[in-house]
Amino acid sequence: MKKRAIPFIVSIGLTLLSFTVNSNHIRDDFHDAVESECKLQTIIVSKTYPNNQVTKAYKGLATCTSAEFATWPTTKWKYFTDGKALIKESIKSAPQNPEIRYVRLMVQLNAPALVGYSSEIDEDLKIFVQYIGDYAVDADWKTSFIINLKTSDGISATQIAKLTTVQTNINK
């Protein structure tokens, strides 16, 4: 190994150690990491999360989000398609899970129109709205999911109205 590579490797190692994954849940870590490429990459490669479909979906979301940090169009596209595939596999295995539908909605609503990834928005929103009320997650997270969706770039006024109704019912 060249002497110049050693400081680089040490630097990468220290950067990865500066962000350790949360032992609570991948959703916590993703929402804390969304602005940092290094933190997103740590989530993607982490083996500390449970091996389930929600974890796979969030790893897909982290992979798609990593495309924002890539320089080359081919790298951006690879991150996006790899992440999208993980999310699709999760939905296929757990089609009525509202959190997984939330994850795909976040990608679809915030992806550039150029990538043409918006055909499942209505289906995902329908399932999200139908099942989020009874979903076994804290009401604060349900509210956060709804707020994140309502403030997404590609959301329509009609979709916001549906989410507002759900939010009202959750906060009762």
mmCIF file of all heavy atoms in Angstrom, residues 119-142:
data_model
loop_
_atom_site.group_PDB
_atom_site.id
_atom_site.type_symbol
_atom_site.label_atom_id
_atom_site.label_comp_id
_atom_site.label_asym_id
_atom_site.label_seq_id
_atom_site.Cartn_x
_atom_site.Cartn_y
_atom_site.Cartn_z
ATOM 1 N N SER A 119 -45.572 6.799 -11.159
ATOM 2 C CA SER A 119 -46.798 6.084 -11.531
ATOM 3 C C SER A 119 -47.499 5.398 -10.367
ATOM 4 O O SER A 119 -48.680 5.066 -10.479
ATOM 5 C CB SER A 119 -46.493 5.065 -12.635
ATOM 6 O OG SER A 119 -45.569 4.101 -12.170
ATOM 7 N N GLU A 120 -46.823 5.198 -9.244
ATOM 8 C CA GLU A 120 -47.471 4.526 -8.113
ATOM 9 C C GLU A 120 -47.854 5.474 -6.981
ATOM 10 O O GLU A 120 -48.238 5.026 -5.901
ATOM 11 C CB GLU A 120 -46.558 3.421 -7.549
ATOM 12 C CG GLU A 120 -46.439 2.202 -8.418
ATOM 13 C CD GLU A 120 -45.176 2.209 -9.274
ATOM 14 O OE1 GLU A 120 -44.309 3.080 -9.079
ATOM 15 O OE2 GLU A 120 -45.073 1.347 -10.141
ATOM 16 N N ILE A 121 -47.793 6.763 -7.202
ATOM 17 C CA ILE A 121 -48.106 7.718 -6.138
ATOM 18 C C ILE A 121 -49.520 7.520 -5.609
ATOM 19 O O ILE A 121 -49.731 7.428 -4.394
ATOM 20 C CB ILE A 121 -47.883 9.181 -6.601
ATOM 21 C CG1 ILE A 121 -46.397 9.450 -6.788
ATOM 22 C CG2 ILE A 121 -48.496 10.169 -5.610
ATOM 23 C CD1 ILE A 121 -46.067 10.810 -7.365
ATOM 24 N N ASP A 122 -50.500 7.451 -6.483
ATOM 25 C CA ASP A 122 -51.889 7.324 -6.031
ATOM 26 C C ASP A 122 -52.111 6.020 -5.269
ATOM 27 O O ASP A 122 -52.762 6.012 -4.220
ATOM 28 C CB ASP A 122 -52.858 7.438 -7.213
ATOM 29 C CG ASP A 122 -52.914 8.850 -7.776
ATOM 30 O OD1 ASP A 122 -52.668 9.812 -7.022
ATOM 31 O OD2 ASP A 122 -53.197 8.989 -8.979
ATOM 32 N N GLU A 123 -51.573 4.924 -5.774
ATOM 33 C CA GLU A 123 -51.714 3.619 -5.093
ATOM 34 C C GLU A 123 -51.037 3.658 -3.721
ATOM 35 O O GLU A 123 -51.609 3.220 -2.722
ATOM 36 C CB GLU A 123 -51.094 2.522 -5.948
ATOM 37 C CG GLU A 123 -51.070 1.166 -5.268
ATOM 38 C CD GLU A 123 -50.214 0.138 -6.003
ATOM 39 O OE1 GLU A 123 -49.889 0.343 -7.190
ATOM 40 O OE2 GLU A 123 -49.872 -0.865 -5.367
ATOM 41 N N ASP A 124 -49.817 4.188 -3.676
ATOM 42 C CA ASP A 124 -49.092 4.250 -2.407
ATOM 43 C C ASP A 124 -49.805 5.147 -1.403
ATOM 44 O O ASP A 124 -49.900 4.804 -0.216
ATOM 45 C CB ASP A 124 -47.661 4.754 -2.631
ATOM 46 C CG ASP A 124 -46.788 3.737 -3.338
ATOM 47 O OD1 ASP A 124 -47.172 2.548 -3.418
ATOM 48 O OD2 ASP A 124 -45.706 4.135 -3.818
ATOM 49 N N LEU A 125 -50.297 6.274 -1.858
ATOM 50 C CA LEU A 125 -50.999 7.187 -0.958
ATOM 51 C C LEU A 125 -52.276 6.537 -0.427
ATOM 52 O O LEU A 125 -52.594 6.651 0.764
ATOM 53 C CB LEU A 125 -51.314 8.503 -1.664
ATOM 54 C CG LEU A 125 -51.862 9.607 -0.767
ATOM 55 C CD1 LEU A 125 -50.856 9.980 0.320
ATOM 56 C CD2 LEU A 125 -52.203 10.835 -1.589
ATOM 57 N N LYS A 126 -52.983 5.840 -1.279
ATOM 58 C CA LYS A 126 -54.210 5.149 -0.860
ATOM 59 C C LYS A 126 -53.904 4.142 0.257
ATOM 60 O O LYS A 126 -54.601 4.104 1.281
ATOM 61 C CB LYS A 126 -54.844 4.436 -2.062
ATOM 62 C CG LYS A 126 -56.083 3.655 -1.730
ATOM 63 C CD LYS A 126 -56.621 2.929 -2.956
ATOM 64 C CE LYS A 126 -57.755 2.015 -2.568
ATOM 65 N NZ LYS A 126 -58.178 1.160 -3.670
ATOM 66 N N ILE A 127 -52.878 3.339 0.077
ATOM 67 C CA ILE A 127 -52.523 2.327 1.078
ATOM 68 C C ILE A 127 -51.981 2.993 2.339
ATOM 69 O O ILE A 127 -52.321 2.590 3.461
ATOM 70 C CB ILE A 127 -51.545 1.297 0.482
ATOM 71 C CG1 ILE A 127 -52.307 0.460 -0.542
ATOM 72 C CG2 ILE A 127 -50.920 0.421 1.563
ATOM 73 C CD1 ILE A 127 -51.471 -0.437 -1.386
ATOM 74 N N PHE A 128 -51.166 4.017 2.172
ATOM 75 C CA PHE A 128 -50.659 4.752 3.332
ATOM 76 C C PHE A 128 -51.811 5.291 4.169
ATOM 77 O O PHE A 128 -51.865 5.076 5.382
ATOM 78 C CB PHE A 128 -49.736 5.895 2.876
ATOM 79 C CG PHE A 128 -49.245 6.735 4.019
ATOM 80 C CD1 PHE A 128 -48.140 6.337 4.757
ATOM 81 C CD2 PHE A 128 -49.884 7.924 4.362
ATOM 82 C CE1 PHE A 128 -47.688 7.103 5.831
ATOM 83 C CE2 PHE A 128 -49.440 8.692 5.421
ATOM 84 C CZ PHE A 128 -48.340 8.283 6.164
ATOM 85 N N VAL A 129 -52.745 5.980 3.534
ATOM 86 C CA VAL A 129 -53.889 6.575 4.228
ATOM 87 C C VAL A 129 -54.742 5.493 4.896
ATOM 88 O O VAL A 129 -55.185 5.652 6.035
ATOM 89 C CB VAL A 129 -54.728 7.422 3.240
ATOM 90 C CG1 VAL A 129 -56.090 7.773 3.804
ATOM 91 C CG2 VAL A 129 -53.959 8.680 2.844
ATOM 92 N N GLN A 130 -54.928 4.379 4.225
ATOM 93 C CA GLN A 130 -55.776 3.301 4.736
ATOM 94 C C GLN A 130 -55.180 2.631 5.980
ATOM 95 O O GLN A 130 -55.909 2.288 6.899
ATOM 96 C CB GLN A 130 -55.999 2.260 3.641
ATOM 97 C CG GLN A 130 -56.912 1.122 4.039
ATOM 98 C CD GLN A 130 -57.147 0.156 2.886
ATOM 99 O OE1 GLN A 130 -56.705 0.361 1.766
ATOM 100 N NE2 GLN A 130 -57.856 -0.913 3.176
ATOM 101 N N TYR A 131 -53.880 2.448 6.021
ATOM 102 C CA TYR A 131 -53.267 1.632 7.076
ATOM 103 C C TYR A 131 -52.452 2.399 8.126
ATOM 104 O O TYR A 131 -52.087 1.808 9.142
ATOM 105 C CB TYR A 131 -52.385 0.543 6.446
ATOM 106 C CG TYR A 131 -53.191 -0.481 5.698
ATOM 107 C CD1 TYR A 131 -53.270 -0.449 4.310
ATOM 108 C CD2 TYR A 131 -53.892 -1.473 6.371
ATOM 109 C CE1 TYR A 131 -54.022 -1.386 3.617
ATOM 110 C CE2 TYR A 131 -54.646 -2.407 5.696
ATOM 111 C CZ TYR A 131 -54.712 -2.361 4.310
ATOM 112 O OH TYR A 131 -55.459 -3.283 3.628
ATOM 113 N N ILE A 132 -52.151 3.658 7.922
ATOM 114 C CA ILE A 132 -51.278 4.362 8.861
ATOM 115 C C ILE A 132 -51.920 4.527 10.241
ATOM 116 O O ILE A 132 -51.227 4.486 11.259
ATOM 117 C CB ILE A 132 -50.787 5.734 8.304
ATOM 118 C CG1 ILE A 132 -49.621 6.270 9.142
ATOM 119 C CG2 ILE A 132 -51.929 6.744 8.232
ATOM 120 C CD1 ILE A 132 -48.378 5.435 9.117
ATOM 121 N N GLY A 133 -53.215 4.671 10.309
ATOM 122 C CA GLY A 133 -53.894 4.853 11.598
ATOM 123 C C GLY A 133 -53.663 3.704 12.558
ATOM 124 O O GLY A 133 -53.455 3.918 13.764
ATOM 125 N N ASP A 134 -53.691 2.479 12.065
ATOM 126 C CA ASP A 134 -53.521 1.295 12.903
ATOM 127 C C ASP A 134 -52.085 0.777 12.938
ATOM 128 O O ASP A 134 -51.806 -0.225 13.585
ATOM 129 C CB ASP A 134 -54.434 0.161 12.401
ATOM 130 C CG ASP A 134 -55.906 0.505 12.567
ATOM 131 O OD1 ASP A 134 -56.246 1.227 13.524
ATOM 132 O OD2 ASP A 134 -56.711 0.054 11.734
ATOM 133 N N TYR A 135 -51.178 1.447 12.238
ATOM 134 C CA TYR A 135 -49.797 0.991 12.160
ATOM 135 C C TYR A 135 -49.121 1.123 13.524
ATOM 136 O O TYR A 135 -49.281 2.131 14.216
ATOM 137 C CB TYR A 135 -49.048 1.808 11.101
ATOM 138 C CG TYR A 135 -47.667 1.314 10.781
ATOM 139 C CD1 TYR A 135 -47.438 0.006 10.374
ATOM 140 C CD2 TYR A 135 -46.571 2.162 10.890
ATOM 141 C CE1 TYR A 135 -46.158 -0.443 10.080
ATOM 142 C CE2 TYR A 135 -45.293 1.728 10.583
ATOM 143 C CZ TYR A 135 -45.095 0.418 10.181
ATOM 144 O OH TYR A 135 -43.825 -0.022 9.894
ATOM 145 N N ALA A 136 -48.366 0.104 13.902
ATOM 146 C CA ALA A 136 -47.734 0.044 15.222
ATOM 147 C C ALA A 136 -46.469 0.898 15.281
ATOM 148 O O ALA A 136 -45.355 0.382 15.315
ATOM 149 C CB ALA A 136 -47.422 -1.407 15.581
ATOM 150 N N VAL A 137 -46.664 2.194 15.263
ATOM 151 C CA VAL A 137 -45.569 3.143 15.425
ATOM 152 C C VAL A 137 -46.115 4.338 16.198
ATOM 153 O O VAL A 137 -47.317 4.631 16.135
ATOM 154 C CB VAL A 137 -44.958 3.551 14.055
ATOM 155 C CG1 VAL A 137 -45.890 4.397 13.249
ATOM 156 C CG2 VAL A 137 -43.618 4.218 14.205
ATOM 157 N N ASP A 138 -45.271 4.999 16.911
ATOM 158 C CA ASP A 138 -45.618 6.149 17.723
ATOM 159 C C ASP A 138 -46.372 7.206 16.901
ATOM 160 O O ASP A 138 -46.042 7.446 15.741
ATOM 161 C CB ASP A 138 -44.288 6.713 18.260
ATOM 162 C CG ASP A 138 -44.466 7.887 19.163
ATOM 163 O OD1 ASP A 138 -44.696 8.994 18.649
ATOM 164 O OD2 ASP A 138 -44.344 7.689 20.378
ATOM 165 N N ALA A 139 -47.349 7.859 17.510
ATOM 166 C CA ALA A 139 -48.145 8.893 16.826
ATOM 167 C C ALA A 139 -47.271 10.044 16.330
ATOM 168 O O ALA A 139 -47.575 10.657 15.296
ATOM 169 C CB ALA A 139 -49.240 9.422 17.745
ATOM 170 N N ASP A 140 -46.177 10.329 17.042
ATOM 171 C CA ASP A 140 -45.265 11.391 16.579
ATOM 172 C C ASP A 140 -44.649 11.025 15.236
ATOM 173 O O ASP A 140 -44.471 11.894 14.380
ATOM 174 C CB ASP A 140 -44.162 11.648 17.614
ATOM 175 C CG ASP A 140 -44.682 12.338 18.868
ATOM 176 O OD1 ASP A 140 -45.773 12.939 18.821
ATOM 177 O OD2 ASP A 140 -43.985 12.260 19.899
ATOM 178 N N TRP A 141 -44.302 9.749 15.072
ATOM 179 C CA TRP A 141 -43.752 9.329 13.781
ATOM 180 C C TRP A 141 -44.803 9.393 12.687
ATOM 181 O O TRP A 141 -44.525 9.816 11.567
ATOM 182 C CB TRP A 141 -43.140 7.923 13.855
ATOM 183 C CG TRP A 141 -41.704 7.973 14.225
ATOM 184 C CD1 TRP A 141 -41.133 7.491 15.362
ATOM 185 C CD2 TRP A 141 -40.647 8.573 13.464
ATOM 186 N NE1 TRP A 141 -39.783 7.767 15.359
ATOM 187 C CE2 TRP A 141 -39.458 8.421 14.218
ATOM 188 C CE3 TRP A 141 -40.576 9.228 12.254
ATOM 189 C CZ2 TRP A 141 -38.215 8.891 13.772
ATOM 190 C CZ3 TRP A 141 -39.352 9.704 11.812
ATOM 191 C CH2 TRP A 141 -38.199 9.531 12.562
ATOM 192 N N LYS A 142 -46.017 8.983 13.000
ATOM 193 C CA LYS A 142 -47.098 9.063 12.001
ATOM 194 C C LYS A 142 -47.256 10.510 11.535
ATOM 195 O O LYS A 142 -47.378 10.777 10.338
ATOM 196 C CB LYS A 142 -48.409 8.535 12.583
ATOM 197 C CG LYS A 142 -48.408 7.050 12.851
ATOM 198 C CD LYS A 142 -49.701 6.618 13.517
ATOM 199 C CE LYS A 142 -49.641 5.156 13.907
ATOM 200 N NZ LYS A 142 -50.881 4.694 14.549
#
